[in-house]
C-alpha cells in the first residue's frame, strides 16, 4: 500500500525520523518498503505572475513572456504552452533548477533568437504522476495554472502546492490487514518505535435510529448504516486531502466521493454511499441469494448468482454489488443532498469469488478480499464523522443503525516466557518481553494468559507473540547457533543414490542433462508413448494450449528438445533427462536418452553418425551399473509404431517391458534420431546383485579368431550361446570383433574371437586345434554355419 | 717384453685408437675399429699371447696393465656404439612426432543441467548436516499442498499461489511443502525429522522473471528443541556455502502461512559487495529465501503435539539460486535446453 509520509506524520509523531530511517526500521519489522519516491522534485522554483504575453515573431506557437518573480525580478521567458496568457500565476523554474522528472537542469538560453531566463512548468515536469491528475488539469496540456491569490515571489512552491511529500510503497503482508490503512500503519509505527500516536476519534452514538440496516447473509456479519442529511458540499475537497488521494493514486472527484475514499484510506474500512432520496424504504438489506441482472453505476450489466453479496432496499431491489461496485440506483451524484453511509463486513472469499467471476476489482473489493475486522467499524465511523467539516459546509448526522452478529471480543490465550526463549533459542528477559506486550497493547490477564487488542486479528496464540518480540528488537538479540540442533544420520536412499550414479555415468559418457516442461500440448502427449497409452492428467485451467497436459512420457519432450537444438545450429547431440512422471495409473521415474548426428569417436579423428549400437552401448552400461546382468533381460524388435521396425528394441525382464530404444521410424521423424526410454523406477526396485569376489584363471588364455559365414536365421546371440555350450572346447568367453558384408556376393561374415584356457595349466597347440575343430563342427552341425574360406 | 716396454707400446696403441675412433662414422667403420683393436687379430690378442713370456715377478702387474689397456679400448668402442644407438633412436623418435595440439580421444564430457547442479550442491550440504532427502508426487492433493500447510480453502494466501488444477481436489503442486505433509504423516507424530524436499513446482505465472514451472528445495526440521537460532545458523552456513564465505547474511521478518515467526534471508550483493548496483537494485542486498519456525497449527493438523515438538522450515528457489550463482540472464533458458547453454556447466 502507498503511504503519504506527510499524512502519516499528521497521525503519528515522526519528528525523530526521516523517510529513509523510517524505511529502514519498517523493513526490519516485517514491512518491506518496496519503493520510496518524492511526490514532486525541483530545486529552484518561484511563483510568478505573467505581466505580458506576446507571440514569438519566428514561431507559430511560442510565446514571449515577461514574468514578475518577486525578489528574482522580472524575467523574460520563452514559453510554448498554449495556455500561457497575461495575468496568469505560474510556477517558474529558475536558472539552475534541477528537474529530475525531465532529467534536466534549467539553463539560460536563447530560443529562436530570444533570450529565456527560466521555464514555466506543469505539474508533470515537477514529477507528479500523470494518472493521478484530474482530467481537466491544465498540466496535462500546458503549464499549471495557479489560483489568482497565489503569492508572487514565493520560493517554497512545492510546499505551497502541498507536493512536498514522499510516498512510501510499503508491502503489508497477509497477516497484517490492520496495517492496510493510515491509522493502522501509524499505530504500528507508534508501537514499534514509541513515536507518539495522535488521538484517534472515538465513536459515540448520539443519533436516532431511523434508517435500518439488516443482514440476511451469514457472509455479512456486521452491517452499520450512518445517515447524513441536508448536506451542502464545499466547492472542492481541501488541497491537503486531495494530495493524500493523489499520493495513493486515487483521482479526486467531488467531496462526497472523496470523503468515502479518504476515510477508507485512513481507516481501512470501505464504505458505500447511497443517495437517501432514492431509497424511500429507509431500509437496506444485505442478501446473498439474489439472481438476475444488476446494473453497475457506470452502466455495465452483470449477472448475479447465489453467493454474490448484494445490498437491497426494503423492496428487495439491488442497489449495490456489496463490497465491489455501486449500482445505478441510489448512487450519489453531485446534486445529492442526503446520504446513507454503509459500513459493513463482507466475507473475503465471497468477494474474491464474485470479483474473479465478473473480472471486476475496486479499492473496496481489494480490502475486503484481505479480510476486514468487524470491530474496526466504529473507529472508521468516528473518523468519518470527525472529518465531515473538511468536506461539507453544513450537514446533519441524523441516524445510526447497526446489525452486528460478529463476535464481540477476542479470547485470552496461554503464554509462557520460557517457551518463547526455548522456541527462539534466545535469552530475552521478562522485562524485554513485557515491553513488547505493552507497546502492542497486549494485556496480561494472569500469570499464563494474554489478551490481544481487537484490531490485531493476527495475535491469537503464543507463536504470534514470539513473532512480535522478534520483530520488535531490530538488531536481533538471537545469536545464530547450532546448539540443541538434533543429530541425525543423513544419507541418500538406495534409489536416490542409483539415480545420482546413473547421472554421473551419463555425464561422463558425454551426455548433457536436460530439464523440460512437465506440461505439454495434447498433440505432443499423443505423439509417442513407450509405456502406457492411457489418458494423461489434464489441467482444467491451463495458461495456454501448449501446456495443458501432464505428460505421461518423456520422449515428446526429448524429441522437441532435439528439434529445437537442430534448428539452432546444434546438430550433434547426446542428451538425457530423468524425471518423475505422474499419471492416473501411478507415479513413475523415467529416463529418456536422445542421440542425433555424431561426434568424433575413438577411431582416429573419424567422425561418424550415431547408430543403434551407440545407444545400445549406453543402455548396456546402465544395466551393468545397476548390477543387472545380460541374462536377466532380453531384447525383441520393438512393436512401437513410432520406432524403426528393424533398428529398435523393447527390453523385457520376464514379462515386463522396462524400456525401448533405437531409431525412430522415418514416418515419425524424417531426421535420423535415436532415442531410448527406461523405466528407472522399475529397475531401481529390482534386487541388485551383491558384489562378491570370485576366483579367476591365472594361467595365460589363448585368443583365436573365427569368421563365420552367416545366414538370415541365425543371430550373434545364438551363435555365441552355441559356442559356449560346446563341451571340452576350453572356450571361456566369446566376443564379437567384426561384421562384414561382401559388397559383390552379399554374403555376411561375422568375426568372433574365442578366449580359451584351462584352470590347471596352459593350453598346448594340440589342445587348441582340437578345441577349434570341436567349435567348427558343433556350429556346423547345430546352426549350419561354415567358416569363411573353408 | 718387459713391463716397461709394454706400457710404452700400450700407450702407443691407445693413442692410435684415440686417433682412429675419430674417423669412425658409421657402423661399418665401427666394426672395423673393433676388429683392429679388440678382435682376434688385434695387438691386444697378441699381448695376451705374450703373457706367457713375461717374467714371473712382473706377471701380476703386466696383467693389470693389459686389462687396463683392454678396458680403455673397449670403452672407446662402447661410447661410440652408444652414441650411434642413441642417434638411431633419435631419428626414429623424430619420425614418431605427434601434433600435441590435436584433441585427445574420448574427451567428450557431458554436463549436468545447472538446475540439478544446484540441487546436487544443496543436497550435499544438507546430507553433511544429517538431513535426508524426501521425494513426492507432482500431481498432489489439495489437502497436502494447501490445507495441511495451514492454507485452508478460501484462505487469502491462496491468491499468492495460483495453482494449476486437475480437479476439485487435485492440483499440480505449487510448492514442495506438499512433500513435507507426507513426511509428517509418515512420521506419525514422532520426531526428530530433518529432511529436504527438492523438486519441480508449478504456478500460473509467466513473465520475464517467472516461469510456470520452476524448482524449490524446501527443508523441514522437527524435534523437541530445534530453535529459531538453529534456523538462522543453518541458513547462514548454507548461503555462505552457495555464495561465498565473505557474504554477509541478514534476516528480515516476513509472513508465510506455515511458519511463525517467519524471516526472509538476504545476502550482501556479490557483484558490488553492498555498494549498490543493478543486480541488487541499488540496495546492496539480494533476497534469497524465506523461512521460519513451523507454525504450531501446522504441527497440530499434521498429528504432532505442538507442546512437545517445535522446528523450522525454509524454502529456496532453485532457478533463482542458479541464476544468481551463475549470472544467468533469463529463467526461460533453463527450459529451452540449448546445449550451448548446458555445456557451460561441465565443472558443476
Amino acid at each position: 500500500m502507498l503511504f503519504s509520509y506527510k499524512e502519516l506524520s499528521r497521525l503519528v509523531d515522526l519528528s525523530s525520523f526521516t523517510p529513509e530511517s523510517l524505511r529502514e526500521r519498517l523493513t526490519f519489522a516485517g514491512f518491506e518498503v518496496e519503493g520510496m519516491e518524492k511526490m514532486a522534485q525541483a530545486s529552484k522554483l518561484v511563483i510568478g505572475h505573467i505581466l505580458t504575453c506576446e507571440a514569438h515573431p519566428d514561431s507559430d506557437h511560442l510565446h514571449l513572456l515577461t514574468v514578475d518573480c518577486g525578489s528574482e525580478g522580472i524575467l523574460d521567458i520563452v514559453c510554448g504552452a498554449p495556455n500561457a496568457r497575461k495575468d496568469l500565476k505560474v510556477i517558474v523554474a529558475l536558472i539552475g533548477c534541477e528537474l529530475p522528472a525531465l532529467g534536466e537542469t534549467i539553463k539560460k538560453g536563447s530560443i529562436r533568437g530570444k533570450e529565456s531566463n527560466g521555464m514555466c512548468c506543469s505539474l508533470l515536469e515537477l514529477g507528479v504522476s500523470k494518472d493521478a491528475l484530474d482530467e481537466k488539469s491544465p498540466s496535462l496540456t500546458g503549464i499549471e495554472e495557479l489560483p489568482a491569490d497565489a503569492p508572487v515571489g514565493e520560493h517554497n512552491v512545492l510546499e505551497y502546492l502541498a507536493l512536498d511529500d514522499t510516498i512510501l510503497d510499503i508491502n503489508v503482508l497477509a497477516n497484517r490487514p490492520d496495517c492496510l490503512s493510515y491509522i493502522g500503519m501509524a499505530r504500528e509505527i507508534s508501537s514499534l518505535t514509541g513515536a507518539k500516536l495522535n488521538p484517534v476519534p472515538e465513536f459515540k452514538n448520539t443519533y436516532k435510529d431511523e434508517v435500518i440496516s439488516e443482514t440476511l447473509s451469514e457472509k455479512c456479519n456486521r452491517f452499520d448504516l450512518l445517515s447524513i442529511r441536508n448536506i451542502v458540499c464545499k466547492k472542492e475537497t481541501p488541497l491537503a486531502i486531495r494530495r493524500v488521494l493523489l499520493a495513493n493514486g486515487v483521482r479526486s472527484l467531488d467531496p462526497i466521493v472523496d470523503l468515502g475514499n479518504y476515510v477508507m484510506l485512513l481507516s481501512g474500512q470501505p464504505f458505500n454511499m447511497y443517495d437517501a432520496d432514492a431509497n424511500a424504504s429507509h431500509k437496506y438489506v444485505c442478501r446473498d441469494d439474489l439472481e438476475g441482472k444488476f446494473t453497475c453505476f457506470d452502466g455495465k450489466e452483470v449477472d448475479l448468482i447465489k453467493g454474490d453479496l448484494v445490498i437491497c432496499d426494503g423492496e428487495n431491489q439491488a442497489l449495490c454489488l456489496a463490497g465491489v461496485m455501486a449500482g445505478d440506483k441510489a448512487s450519489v451524484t453531485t446534486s445529492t443532498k442526503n446520504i446513507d453511509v454503509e459500513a459493513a463486513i463482507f466475507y473475503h472469499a465471497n468477494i474474491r469469488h464474485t470479483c474473479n467471476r465478473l473480472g471486476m476489482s475496486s479499492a473496496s473489493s481489494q480490502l475486503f478480499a484481505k479480510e476486514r475486522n468487524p470491530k474496526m467499524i466504529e473507529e472508521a465511523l468516528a473518523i468519518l464523522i470527525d472529518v465531515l467539516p473538511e468536506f461539507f459546509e453544513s450537514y446533519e448526522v441524523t441516524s445510526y443503525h447497526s446489525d452486528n452478529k460478529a463476535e464481540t471480543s477476542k479470547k485470552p490465550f496461554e503464554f509462557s516466557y520460557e517457551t518463547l526463549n526455548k522456541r527462539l533459542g534466545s535469552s530475552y528477559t521478562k522485562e524485554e518481553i513485557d515491553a513488547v506486550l505493552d507497546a502492542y497493547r497486549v494485556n496480561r490477564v494472569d500469570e499464563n494468559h494474554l489478551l490481544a487488542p481487537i484490531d490485531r486479528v493476527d495475535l491469537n496464540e503464543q507463536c504470534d507473540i514470539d513473532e512480535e518480540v522478534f520483530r520488535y528488537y531490530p538488531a536481533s538479540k538471537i545469536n545464530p547457533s547450532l546448539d540443541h540442533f538434533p543429530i541425525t544420520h543423513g544419507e541418500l536412499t538406495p534409489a536416490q543414490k542409483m539415480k545420482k550414479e546413473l547421472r554421473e555415468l551419463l555425464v561422463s559418457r558425454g551426455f548433457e542433462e536436460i530439464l523440460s516442461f512437465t506440461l505439454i500440448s495434447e498433440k505432443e502427449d499423443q505423439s509417442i508413448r513407450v509405456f502406457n497409452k492411457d489418458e494423461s492428467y489434464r489441467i482444467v485451467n491451463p495458461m495456454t494450449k501448449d501446456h495443458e497436459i501432464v505428460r505421461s512420457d518423456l520422449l515428446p519432450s526429448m524429441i522437441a528438445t532435439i528439434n529445437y537444438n537442430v534448428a539452432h545450429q546444434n546438430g550433434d547431440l547426446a542428451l538425457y533427462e530423468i524425471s518423475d512422471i505422474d499419471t492416473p495409473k501411478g507415479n513413475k521415474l523415467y529416463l529418456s536418452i536422445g542421440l542425433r548426428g555424431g561426434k568424433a569417436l575413438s577411431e582416429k579423428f573419424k567422425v561418424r553418425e550415431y547408430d543403434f549400437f551407440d545407444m545400445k552401448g549406453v543402455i548396456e552400461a546402465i544395466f551393468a551399473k545397476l548390477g543387472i546382468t545380460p541374462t536377466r533381460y532380453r531384447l525383441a524388435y520393438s512393436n512401437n509404431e513410432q520406432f524403426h521396425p528393424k533398428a529398435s528394441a523393447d527390453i523385457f525382464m520376464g514379462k515386463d517391458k522396462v524400456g525401448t530404444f533405437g531409431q525412430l521410424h522415418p514416418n515419425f521423424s524424417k531426421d535420423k534420431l535415436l532415442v531410448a526410454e527406461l523405466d528407472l523406477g522399475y529397475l531401481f526396485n529390482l534386487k541388485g546383485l551383491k558384489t562378491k569376489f570370485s576366483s579367476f584363471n591365472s594361467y595365460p588364455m589363448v585368443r583365436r579368431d573365427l569368421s563365420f559365414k552367416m545366414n538370415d536365421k541365425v543371430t550373434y546371440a545364438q551363435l555365441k550361446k552355441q559356442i559356449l555350450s560346446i563341451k571340452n572346447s576350453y572356450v571361456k568367453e566369446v566376443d564379437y570383433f567384426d561384421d562384414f558384408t561382401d559388397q559383390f556376393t552379399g554374403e555376411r561374415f561375422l568375426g568372433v574371437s574365442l578366449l580359451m584356457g584351462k584352470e590347471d595349466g596352459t593350453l598346448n597347440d594340440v589342445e587348441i586345434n582340437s578345441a577349434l575343430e570341436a567349435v567348427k563342427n558343433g556350429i556346423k552341425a547345430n546352426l549350419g554355419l561354415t567358416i569363411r574360406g573353408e | 717384453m718387459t713391463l716397461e716396454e709394454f706400457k710404452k707400446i700400450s700407450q702407443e696403441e691407445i693413442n692410435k685408437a684415440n686417433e682412429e675412433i675419430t674417423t669412425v662414422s658409421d657402423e661399418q667403420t665401427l666394426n672395423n675399429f673393433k676388429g683392429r683393436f679388440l678382435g682376434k687379430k688385434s695387438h691386444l690378442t697378441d699381448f695376451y699371447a705374450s703373457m706367457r713370456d713375461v717374467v714371473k715377478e712382473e706377471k701380476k702387474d703386466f696383467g693389470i696393465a693389459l686389462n687396463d689397456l683392454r678396458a680403455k679400448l673397449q670403452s672407446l668402442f662402447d661410447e661410440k656404439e652408444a652414441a650411434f644407438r642413441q642417434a638411431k633412436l633419435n631419428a626414429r623418435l623424430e619420425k614418431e612426432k605427434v601434433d600435441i595440439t590435436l584433441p585427445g580421444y574420448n574427451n567428450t564430457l557431458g554436463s549436468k543441467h545447472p538446475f540439478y547442479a544446484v540441487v546436487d550442491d544443496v543436497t550435499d550440504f544438507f546430507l553433511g548436516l544429517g538431513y535426508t532427502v524426501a521425494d513426492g508426487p507432482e500431481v498432489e492433493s489439495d489437502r497436502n499442498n494447501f490445507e495441511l500447510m495451514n492454507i485452508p480453502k478460501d484462505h487469502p494466501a491462496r491468491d499468492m499461489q495460483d495453482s494449476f488444477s486437475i480437479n476439485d481436489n487435485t492440483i499440480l503442486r505449487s510448492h514442495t511443502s506438499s512433500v513435507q505433509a507426507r513426511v509428517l504423516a509418515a512420521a506419525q507424530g514422532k520426531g526428530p525429522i530433518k529432511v529436504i524436499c527438492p523438486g519441480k513446482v508449478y504456478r500460473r505465472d509467466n513473465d520475464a522473471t517467472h516461469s510456470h514451472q520452476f524448482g524449490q528445495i524446501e527443508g523441514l526440521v522437527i524435534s523437541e528443541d530445534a530453535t529459531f537460532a538453529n534456523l538462522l545458523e543453518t541458513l547462514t552456513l548454507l548461503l555462505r556455502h552457495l555464495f561465498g564465505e565473505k557474504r554477509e547474511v541478514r534476516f528480515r521478518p516476513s509472513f508465510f502461512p506455515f511458519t511463525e515467526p517467519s524471516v526472509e534471508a538476504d545476502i550482501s550483493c556479490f557483484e558490488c559487495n553492498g555498494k549498490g548496483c543493478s543486480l541488487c537494485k541499488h540496495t546492496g542486498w539480494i533476497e534469497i529465501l524465506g523461512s521460519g519456525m513451523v507454525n504450531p497449527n501446522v504441527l497440530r493438523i499434521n498429528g504432532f503435539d505442538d507442546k512437545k515438538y517445535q522446528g523450522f522450515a525454509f524454502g529456496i528457489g532453485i532457478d533463482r539460486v542458479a541464476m544468481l550463482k551463475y549470472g544467468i540472464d533469463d529463467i526461460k533458458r533453463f527450459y529451452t535446453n540449448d546445449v550451448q547453454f548446458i555445456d557451460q556447466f561441465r565443472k558443476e
Side-chain angles (χ1 to χ4, degrees), chain A residues 303-468:
Chain A
D303 286 312
L304 296 178
I305 61 167
K306 280 190 179 160
D308 289 332
L309 288 162
V310 171
I311 306 295
C312 303
D313 61 15
E315 320 298 325
N316 274 342
Q317 177 158 237
L319 303 177
C320 174
L321 191 52
V324 182
M325 201 70 68
D328 63 343
K329 299 184 184 72
S331 271
V332 290
T333 65
T334 45
S335 55
T336 298
K337 294 281 173 278
N338 301 303
I339 60 173
D340 292 323
V341 181
E342 158 223 301
I345 299 299
F346 304 115
Y347 186 56
H348 58 87
N350 288 58
I351 298 295
R352 279 208 312 280
H353 292 162
T354 298
C355 287
N356 289 343
R357 193 184 85 250
L358 299 176
M360 287 174 138
S361 177
S362 63
S364 302
S365 72
Q366 283 168 21
L367 279 171
F368 280 123
K370 289 190 176 115
E371 206 174 343
R372 298 287 83 199
N373 181 351
K375 291 143 206 151
M376 299 306 291
I377 284 185
E378 280 142 53
E379 180 173 287
L381 288 173
I383 294 170
L384 182 108
I385 291 164
D386 188 54
V387 301
L388 286 176
E390 303 279 344
F391 294 84
F392 303 149
E393 297 285 357
S394 62
Y395 61 94
E396 196 183 338
V397 179
T398 55
S399 161
Y400 169 72
H401 185 88
S402 175
D403 187 3
N404 185 0
K405 299 185 172 76
E407 282 178 39
T408 50
S409 69
K410 286 183 82 88
K411 292 189 182 74
F413 55 90
E414 269 184 58
F415 178 78
S416 126
Y417 297 85
E418 294 73 36
T419 304
L420 183 146
N421 279 324
K422 179 181 178 249
R423 207 159 161 263
L424 298 184
S426 54
S427 48
Y428 293 110
T429 63
K430 186 171 181 301
E431 289 68 32
E432 284 169 329
I433 295 170
D434 284 344
V436 181
L437 297 178
D438 292 341
Y440 283 100
R441 298 166 287 130
V442 178
N443 285 329
R444 274 150 281 175
V445 179
D446 59 39
E447 284 283 286
N448 307 314
H449 290 86
L450 301 179
L451 180 64
I454 51 166
D455 51 305
R456 291 296 300 272
V457 286
D458 62 319
L459 297 185
N460 302 305
E461 61 173 317
Q462 163 106 34
C463 64
D464 303 325
I465 301 299
D466 299 351
E467 176 175 73
E468 294 307 281

Side-chain angles (χ1 to χ4, degrees), chain A residues 348 352 422-423 464 467 481 483 486 488 496 503 507 511-513 515 518 540-541 565 570 579 582, chain B residues 110-111 113 130 133 138-139 154 159 165 194 200 202 204 213 224 228 230 260 337-340 343:
Chain A
H348 58 87
R352 279 208 312 280
K422 179 181 178 249
R423 207 159 161 263
D464 303 325
E467 176 175 73
S481 93
D483 291 352
T488 50
Q496 288 166 345
R503 290 173 53 224
V507 167
F511 285 82
E512 320 263 13
E513 185 170 47
L515 167 63
T518 301
V540 296
N541 58 342
N565 273 288
N570 308 315
S579 177
D582 291 358
Chain B
S111 177
H113 192 287
V133 180
E138 295 170 12
V139 172
D154 287 336
D159 286 355
S165 318
K194 274 165 65 185
K200 298 171 213 168
Y202 308 87
R204 298 183 76 254
Q213 174 179 325
E224 292 184 19
F228 193 57
N230 292 162
E260 183 165 18
N337 293 300
D338 192 310
V339 290
Q340 295 185 68
D343 246 352

Side-chain angles (χ1 to χ4, degrees), chain A residues 509 511 574 593 595-602 608-621 661-662 672 674 676:
Chain A
R509 287 178 73 106
F511 285 82
I593 304 177
L595 286 172
R596 195 268 181 197
K599 281 190 176 173
L601 295 151
S602 57
R608 64 162 176 81
E609 272 198 344
Y610 291 123
D611 64 25
F612 177 87
F613 297 100
D614 289 298
M615 185 61 87
K616 191 179 175 194
V618 179
I619 303 284
E620 286 170 332
F661 69 95
K672 183 180 170 187
L674 294 152

Side-chain angles (χ1 to χ4, degrees), chain A residues 728-764:
Chain A
N728 303 323
S729 68
Y730 300 116
V731 177
K732 303 293 176 208
E733 273 175 49
V734 177
D735 222 341
Y736 150 92
F737 72 87
D738 189 31
D739 188 349
F740 167 73
T741 302
D742 189 305
Q743 263 187 290
F744 302 104
T745 64
E747 291 170 317
R748 177 181 172 221
F749 300 96
L750 203 64
V752 297
S753 58
L754 313 180
L755 218 53
M756 299 150 73
K758 56 181 182 179
E759 281 72 29
D760 55 353
T762 311
L763 289 174
N764 61 36

Side-chain angles (χ1 to χ4, degrees), chain B residues 209-233:
Chain B
T209 52
H210 295 89
S211 163
H212 74 268
Q213 174 179 325
F214 60 101
Q216 272 191 342
I217 302 172
E218 301 225 343
L220 176 70
V221 173
I222 302 288
S223 77
E224 292 184 19
D225 43 17
T227 64
F228 193 57
N230 292 162
L231 168 66
L232 302 186
E233 178 67 356

